[in-house]
Structures are given as C-alpha cells and as structure tokens.
Amino acid sequence: MMNHRLRLMALALGDGGAQSSSSASSSFSEDDFDEEPFHHHVESRSSSSGLSIPYGACEDDDQASSDDEVSSAANGSGDDDEESQVSSVTFVPPDRPPQQVFVNIQQRPNLSLPRNNETLTPTLLTNSLSVLTHSTILQAGLAYAGFGKERQERNNNSRKVVWFKSFYGVEPTTILPFFLDIKAEYPDICYKDCLMTMNWLYLYDTYPVLSGRWKYCEEYIGAKVIEYGKKMAVIARRKIVFELKDDVEIGRTVDCSTFMIHEMRLDPSSKWFDWKYEFALAIYEARVVSVRGPDYPSTHDITVFRGGTTDEDINDRDQNALYFQLEEGDKCVADSGYAGEPEKIVMTQDEHPKDFKEFLARCKNRQETFHWRLKAFNILGGRFRHGISVEHRMELHRMAVDVIVGVIQYDYENGHPPFDV
C-alpha cells in the first residue's frame, strides 16, 4: 500500500517534484486567510504543480476496491494518459472534525426567552379591573417581579407571600384594602402602576432598574411613581386620627426619628444633612395618631414637641405641635429627650415601681419598632435623592413618609398589629 502512495504522489507532482519542500510550504499567500482559513487547511493541499490533492487522499479507508485501478494508473498501463488516470481516481475523505463557528457580534441571533410572565399577568390588571382579590394581587405582583407561571405553581402560598413582601414591603392582604380605597377616590388608576409605585417605595431602585422590571421607559416611570405616590399619600393621611377611643391619661407614645437625604446644593448648610420627623402612637390601640415634619435634624426633640423654643412667646409657636394637641390631663410616654414638660410627658424615674418601669420600657420599644418599620422601606431607610429644590425635596419626602405610615396602618388593621404593652 505504501508503494501505491508513493507512485501516486510522483504522478501528481509531475515535474515539480524536484522543487524543494521549502518552496511548497511557502505557496500560501495572505489571501488564503482572508475568509475561511480553516477551509484552506482542511479541504486541500496545494502542490507546486498547481494540482489540489483532496484531504485524506493518501488514507487507506474504504479504498481496498480501488487498489488495482491505482496500480494501473501508476504503471501507465491504462487506456488514457497519466493525467486522465490520476483524475479518474476517486478518494473518499474521512469524517472531518467539526468546523469552527464564527459569530458576528454585530448580528447576534435573537436568543431571548419566551415571556412566560405574560401568561401569568392578568389582563385585568388595568383600569378595567372590576374585582381585585388577594390571589390576583399575589399572582400579578410576582409575575411583574419575574416569577414565572411554572415557578409559582411549584411553590406553596407561604413562600410566595415571602417573595411578594420582598418586592412590595407588605402582604397582599394589606395591599388589597389600600388599593380599593385608592380606586374609590381615583377610579382611573391602573393597578399595575400602583404595584410599581409600591415597589419603588420599598426597594427604591433607580429608574433604569425599574424599567427593566416593569417594561416602561424611565420617563414614564419617573412621572407615574410621583403621581401615584401623591394619590396614595392623600388616602394614607386619612388613616391618621389623633383622637383615642378610650379616655385614658397616658394613652400615647411620642418620639422623633431622622432620615437621610442627599446634600441640598441650593442650601449647603449643615442644618440640612438629615430631616427629623415626630411620630405619636396610641398605646392601647394599633394606630398611628400623629405625624409632624420635616424639621432640621439639629432641632431638639422637646423643641419639636413644643412647636418652638422657650424663648418664643407661646402664641408665636407652631399651634399644630403635639404640645397644643394634647388636652389637659393627657400625657405621652417619651424618652429623656423630652425632659422639661412633666405635665405632658411621662419619663422613667428612679422612684417608679418596677412594673411601671417595665410598662414604660415596652411602650418606648414599641415606638422604636414602628421607626424600624418605616426605615424597612428603602426610600426612608436609605438616602433620599429626589427633588430639585429644598421645597420640592421636602414635599416629596413628606409624601413618601405619609404613604409608608399609611401602609403600616393598613398592615396594623389587617393582621399585623404592634405588640401589646
């Protein structure tokens, strides 16, 4: 078989067989690598005589039946000349290795996955929705968040509620009455935009991140979350009622909390590094009874409570302050920051009995728990970045505070009240 190969090579090379192997190896030019370099190396080998020998021409596979024909061609015993004898030989190439695949990144194929969420997102989550239920809110809210149909069907309701709270802050049982009240006041609202606003308030993602999740442009999202936030704030403020159901002497707790904001470039004074709000809760009811602010963070808690400093005439102070809202004989539980008003503030004293000290401690812990719940929403727990002026930023921040206080109040009324004292 080796002799057949040598005779075949000699016939194919012809007169060029005397040339050196170096000239043969240099027969490639730069043009050979312009488009399909793999093809040139695999498909053929060029010889100095200009003939092209197919890949695998010298292999033994499947050529046993053609040995006689090759032999006669090499000895010149055939009817035709040598060139015709060589060209008549049929060579079967072996299996070739898989060719490389070159991808033009400028023309990528469409590899996007089918949007299974579209089958989960009810078309009723629009202005035309007539019946809103816990299950439709849960299903649609998860679908918008990226949880597909199959994944929702594989998991139980408890886990899906945890997922829902991770994007919207509260459970569907809290969202439902809140959205229904908004719908009653604003019949043209879109429930999807309501969910988007809740998602913005809780996670406080930037508009490009929200755009990827909600499939809206940044301009639409920016306008809608502010519009719907103001509508939600209107409904939320109605839940804050100062009067108590029972006539008790010590019926409320009060404390201040500060929230971070971006630097106020139009007023770069240190007084604007944070904002302070004052909150009051009913002790024997699951209710928020007062929200005041924002104020300078350097303002003392007792000054906020009084509505001004003691240097000011009492009639010149802010008459909406909690000091003026309390009736004669009513008192609030507070910490040491409210020292100076014993007729209206109860603080822990050394002479108090042990059980009364424990009662006051639980009241103050309950108040702090409420502050923690406020800051669980990233728009308040993080650094607030909205607003184009001092006044505008104050307005938007107060809007966010009112909405979240209202949402917590709805949560209190729908199965998640604060602990008892």
Side-chain angles (χ1 to χ4, degrees):
M1 183 60 68
M2 183 62 68
N3 292 335
H4 292 320
R5 291 183 192 170
L6 294 176
R7 286 194 294 270
L8 178 60
M9 292 290 290
L11 291 174
L13 294 175
D15 295 336
Q19 297 182 7
S20 66
S21 60
S22 62
S23 63
S25 63
S26 62
S27 60
F28 292 105
S29 66
E30 293 183 359
D31 295 338
D32 294 329
F33 300 93
D34 286 344
E35 295 182 0
E36 298 183 0
F38 187 83
H39 174 79
H40 288 290
H41 288 288
V42 173
E43 295 296 335
S44 62
R45 299 193 304 274
S46 299
S47 67
S48 60
S49 62
L51 294 179
S52 177
I53 302 177
Y55 180 87
C58 296
E59 297 294 334
D60 297 334
D61 299 339
D62 298 327
Q63 296 188 34
S65 60
S66 61
D67 285 347
D68 294 338
E69 186 174 352
V70 174
S71 178
S72 61
N75 295 328
S77 59
D79 296 335
D80 298 327
D81 57 10
E82 290 181 358
E83 280 191 346
S84 64
Q85 290 294 338
V86 173
S87 62
S88 65
V89 177
T90 301
F91 299 100
V92 180
D95 293 337
R96 297 182 181 129
Q99 295 190 4
Q100 300 179 9
V101 178
F102 298 94
V103 179
N104 184 356
I105 63 174
Q106 300 297 330
Q107 298 179 355
R108 291 189 180 97
N110 184 11
L111 301 178
S112 59
L113 298 175
R115 297 177 62 186
N116 294 332
N117 288 345
E118 291 182 350
T119 61
L120 248 186
T121 304
T123 57
L124 291 178
L125 277 176
T126 60
N127 300 357
S128 61
L129 178 62
S130 57
V131 178
L132 190 67
T133 65
H134 301 152
S135 60
T136 57
I137 292 177
L138 177 63
Q139 185 185 58
L142 291 180
Y144 290 132
F147 294 90
K149 179 180 179 181
E150 293 183 359
R151 192 173 183 189
Q152 289 195 39
E153 291 176 346
R154 287 198 307 264
N155 289 273
N156 58 36
N157 192 70
S158 298
R159 173 164 291 184
K160 289 188 288 186
V161 169
V162 172
W163 291 343
F164 188 91
K165 289 180 63 177
S166 299
F167 283 87
Y168 305 101
V170 290
E171 298 183 5
T173 53
T174 301
I175 294 281
L176 176 61
F178 186 38
F179 281 10
L180 292 178
D181 289 346
I182 299 172
K183 182 72 171 179
E185 182 71 19
Y186 304 100
D188 295 334
I189 65 165
C190 173
Y191 285 115
K192 179 181 178 181
D193 291 343
C194 288
L195 283 171
M196 180 176 67
T197 304
M198 289 296 300
N199 181 225
W200 171 68
L201 291 168
Y202 186 64
L203 298 182
Y204 202 38
D205 290 323
T206 58
Y207 292 158
V209 175
L210 293 173
S211 179
R213 182 178 303 139
W214 294 92
K215 314 306 178 186
Y216 292 139
C217 67
E218 289 89 335
E219 293 75 13
Y220 178 88
I221 293 173
K224 282 298 177 182
V225 294
I226 300 301
E227 175 191 348
Y228 276 61
K230 292 180 178 179
K231 292 178 179 179
M232 291 178 176
V234 172
I235 305 302
R237 293 187 191 108
R238 297 175 183 175
K239 304 295 289 185
I240 310 304
V241 180
F242 187 74
E243 290 76 14
L244 301 177
K245 294 181 180 179
D246 300 322
D247 186 11
V248 292
E249 180 182 2
I250 305 176
R252 302 175 181 89
T253 58
V254 62
D255 199 3
C256 290
S257 182
T258 56
F259 303 94
M260 296 183 296
I261 61 168
H262 272 303
E263 177 187 354
M264 305 300 297
R265 296 186 180 277
L266 298 181
D267 189 355
S269 172
S270 60
K271 65 184 179 182
W272 289 117
F273 65 88
D274 276 342
W275 276 337
K276 175 175 284 189
Y277 286 79
E278 183 185 65
F279 303 97
L281 274 65
I283 294 178
Y284 301 103
E285 304 173 36
R287 287 199 301 111
V288 183
V289 297
S290 177
V291 179
R292 293 194 65 248
D295 210 330
Y296 303 133
S298 58
T299 306
H300 203 280
D301 290 1
I302 190 61
T303 303
V304 176
F305 175 78
R306 291 169 175 161
T309 63
T310 55
D311 296 335
E312 299 177 85
D313 186 88
I314 192 170
N315 295 321
D316 295 335
R317 300 178 190 173
D318 184 3
Q319 299 299 309
N320 293 321
L322 191 58
Y323 177 91
F324 299 100
Q325 302 302 314
L326 292 172
E327 296 180 0
E328 186 176 357
D330 291 346
K331 295 183 179 181
C332 295
V333 175
D335 57 23
S336 58
Y338 285 81
E341 292 291 345
E343 294 182 357
K344 294 184 178 292
I345 298 295
V346 177
M347 299 185 303
T348 304
Q349 304 292 339
D350 292 339
E351 60 270 17
H352 286 157
K354 181 179 179 181
D355 57 346
F356 188 67
K357 289 182 179 179
E358 292 178 354
F359 167 76
L360 296 180
R362 287 183 63 82
C363 289
K364 289 183 284 186
N365 289 341
R366 186 170 177 265
Q367 178 82 28
E368 294 298 332
T369 301
F370 170 75
H371 295 170
W372 175 86
R373 290 206 61 183
L374 289 173
K375 296 182 180 181
F377 286 76
N378 285 349
I379 197 170
L380 299 183
R383 194 169 293 278
F384 188 77
R385 59 178 180 266
H386 280 73
I388 58 178
S389 66
V390 174
E391 294 75 14
H392 189 228
R393 184 164 293 183
M394 279 185 173
E395 176 190 357
L396 295 181
H397 193 271
R398 178 57 193 262
M399 173 202 76
V401 170
D402 287 340
V403 173
I404 295 171
V405 169
V407 169
I408 294 174
Q409 182 61 52
Y410 275 95
D411 203 39
Y412 283 172
E413 297 173 359
N414 291 274
H416 303 93
F419 61 84
D420 295 329
V421 298

